Each structure stands twice: as C-alpha cells, then as structure tokens.
Amino acid sequence: MTDLLVPGPEVRLLGVQPYVPVWQAMQLQAREREATRLDSFWCVEHPPVFTQGRNGRPEHLLDPGATPVVAIDRGGQVTWHGPGQLVVYTLVDLPRLGIGVRRLVEGLEQAVIDTLAQWGIRAQRREKAPGVYVDGAKIAALGLRIRHGRSIHGLALNIAPDLAPFQRMNPCGYPGLAATSMQYLLGPVDATRVREQLLAHLAEQLFPAEVASIRHEPALPPELVRVLALGRCPALGGRA
C-alpha cells in the first residue's frame, strides 16, 4: 500500500440496470476522469446476460438460448450475470493506491473470502483461476480491464441467483466447473447486509487503514446518466 493519504472510495448503488449502458459508462469514466476524482464502487444487478471476454472462445458458451451475449473488453472467458447476483465494479486508480494488477485481484478475492467467512462459509482462491470457490464450486467471478492505470469491471458474487444458466456455459473456460451460491449453501440471506459487508472488506483491502471508510453517494454516476439519456456512449458512438 502507498503511504500517501488516499481518499476513501465512494459507493454508487445502481439498482437493476441493463449491462451495456453500465459497461459503456465505466469506459466513459475511465477515459474522462480527472486525477482528483474519487475511486468508486458501483453496485448493480443486471438482467440475464452472458458476457464474453477479450480472449473468449465461442465453444465455452454451450447454449445461450434467448439470453443476450455481449462481447466485452475485460480479460477472461464467458460468464453470466443475472438477478440474485451482486456485481461490484471497482473503478480505481492503481498508481494512486500504489498497487498493481496482481494486488488488486488478490484484494478482490480476499474481500469476498472475508465476507463469506462472516456467514460461516469457508472459501478459497485458486492458482491461475481468478475467482472464489467453495468446495470446488465457483461462488464469485472476477474480470478486469486496466487502461492507463485505471480499472473497470470487477467482481460478481452469487448471493441467490438461478444456478441453471451456469450449466449452459463453461464458467471462465473450465468445462464441468460447478457454480454455487450463498443461498444454495445457507438458505435465504440478507442481500443488503452481504453487500455492505463486502464493500467494507473491499475498502479494507484496497485502501490504507486510516482512510478505509466509504461514503455512499445517492445519485447515479453522471456517466451512466449521460449514457442512459443519449441511448449510447458519447465517447464510443455505440448504441446502448
């Protein structure tokens, strides 16, 4: 960690939002953000969507059916987002935090592991397979894009999603990899409580201890407001 004073992150609660506008808003923020802009965590739930990373191989998407498939700019293979899954996009300036990509990945994984431990779930990371696992089944996925030292994308934690869509793909490119969720392991859980615990652990992992507190900003990110208003991303020209 850096010894410089780094402001704690802001939290934006996006609610339920379509995938593409949020992705475009993240790209816009990374392109336009000023050096003094606060780092932020965007919490969102998406309608069902498969996303295919830059190195994604089509054979890993077995049967998308009517679910949209979006080719995106993060690393990794195919994953699924949908109701009951907490997605936290970590938009941080790595040089300002004094960390590299490896430390960012480790911090995201450890934040999930620490959160699950509060619920009595023993989770682990895997060498060369980013994410978090419980008894060999994947409970959280990670995917990042770093541009000019700034990260977009983040993590997805399965709180109470339908697990069937994970059988229609090879999660992160691993045939036969099972998926699990907190609800499958424990029964119903308080999703709001899980979210707040995860945000606190993310702040602990990525920010100096003396400024690890987070602040909630009630408004949607201005970049998302622009994308939703225009129906496209002004920096990219693509339709939302």
Side-chain angles (χ1 to χ4, degrees), residues 1-9 39 96-99 103 200 202-214:
M1 287 295 180
T2 179
D3 292 330
L4 298 177
L5 184 62
V6 179
D39 295 308
R96 183 167 63 181
L97 293 178
I99 63 175
R103 177 67 188 91
L202 284 169
E204 291 171 0
Q205 286 295 320
L206 301 181
F207 292 81
E210 64 270 19
V211 291
S213 62
I214 57 178

Side-chain angles (χ1 to χ4, degrees), residues 148-159:
H148 303 308
R150 295 166 180 169
S151 69
I152 62 173
H153 301 290
L155 65 88
L157 172 61
N158 294 338
I159 297 179

